Amino acid sequence: MTDRDYMTLNQKDAPETPERPVFTPQAGSQFMAEFMASDAASGEAGTAADGASANGSGGASGAGGAVDPAQVEANVIANLRTVFDPEIPVNIYELGLIYAVEVDGDNNVDIVMTLTSPHCPVAESLPMEVEQKAREAEGANEVSLDLVFDPPWDLSKMSDEAKLELGML
């Protein structure tokens, strides 16, 4: 197999056609951000939250005052679903790397997360990306992230959606 064949198999070189769209992590991240923002927002609160999440703006915007902590949690989770493990084509939330997202009354966010292994090649960059995505969530104030390895991550922490995506169901 040549390098060219390998790249085509991985769709890096494959032409995009209506019958065969090329999926990239960036396109998937954008789709998931928009999907989760529209899913998380409901009724009257939907338009302001959708616009902020879909266009990547974040923080506490001045659109109508304080945001409910439950909505901030939903916004943070929607943003975390746009972060993908570089070796596994599943977002880190569905992969089960996020153990907890807690938002207090002041909309300060505490995240507890792990990695698939302590020797993960992105051990330094992935937690920073998670923290940044949480900060970008509409209504989020201070963000703290606790990286833990106990309990260790295992396949049972994956959602059914992630297992289906990876062909494990």
Side-chain angles (χ1 to χ4, degrees):
M1 180 180 296
T2 68
D3 289 339
R4 177 81 172 168
D5 293 333
Y6 178 77
M7 289 186 71
T8 301
L9 287 174
N10 285 301
Q11 296 187 3
K12 294 193 185 324
D13 246 1
E16 182 171 348
T17 65
E19 302 82 37
R20 185 170 182 240
V22 175
F23 177 80
T24 64
Q26 294 80 13
S29 295
Q30 180 64 29
F31 170 79
M32 286 303 295
E34 292 171 6
F35 175 77
M36 295 310 299
S38 65
D39 191 41
S42 63
E44 66 281 353
T47 55
D50 289 350
S53 296
N55 69 18
S57 68
S61 63
V67 180
D68 178 53
Q71 183 61 50
V72 172
E73 181 178 342
N75 294 344
V76 169
I77 290 171
N79 282 9
L80 295 182
R81 288 178 189 232
T82 68
V83 179
F84 285 77
D85 184 292
E87 296 175 325
I88 305 170
V90 175
N91 73 68
I92 62 167
Y93 191 82
E94 297 301 328
L95 196 55
L97 297 180
I98 304 298
Y99 286 170
V101 175
E102 297 177 359
V103 180
D104 68 15
D106 294 325
N107 291 345
N108 297 317
V109 181
D110 291 320
I111 299 172
V112 179
M113 73 170 288
T114 193
L115 300 171
T116 54
S117 158
H119 305 292
C120 180
V122 291
E124 290 186 28
S125 62
L126 190 61
M128 290 188 306
E129 184 178 358
V130 168
E131 198 169 339
Q132 180 63 34
K133 289 291 185 178
R135 279 194 180 94
E136 292 173 359
E138 181 176 355
N141 288 326
E142 296 296 319
V143 174
S144 68
L145 185 136
D146 190 15
L147 182 63
V148 300
F149 292 100
D150 187 32
W153 180 86
D154 61 49
L155 296 176
S156 70
K157 297 191 180 355
M158 293 171 54
S159 71
D160 287 343
E161 179 181 313
K163 289 176 183 174
L164 183 64
E165 179 74 24
L166 295 173
M168 300 172 72
L169 281 182

